[in-house]
Amino acid sequence: MSTPRATVSCPTCGLEEHFSKLADARLRIEEHRAETGHDPTWELGRFAPGVEKMGDEAGVCGVNLDGDR
């Protein structure tokens, strides 16, 4: 597999899985929570420079943290 888009890990049980699609990683997080009650996290891989720039400008969840509109 090429560089993963996301890595899902769980510090409670040591789960670590790599995914090429963000939707699959998100689904795995929800499945793991339902199956175990653990709280896994994900780390996103690199995106195209333009995507990263737009994400930085949008801020967290689309909210611009600088207060600019």
Side-chain angles (χ1 to χ4, degrees), residues 7-46:
T7 300
V8 174
S9 58
C10 178
T12 305
C13 68
L15 168 78
E16 184 170 306
E17 295 181 24
H18 306 282
F19 296 88
S20 59
K21 295 182 179 180
L22 297 181
D24 292 341
R26 186 176 192 90
L27 180 61
R28 182 63 179 123
I29 288 172
E30 295 306 318
E31 288 173 346
H32 191 69
R33 282 184 181 144
E35 292 169 356
T36 65
H38 298 166
D39 194 21
T41 60
W42 66 356
E43 182 177 328
L44 301 180
R46 298 285 304 189

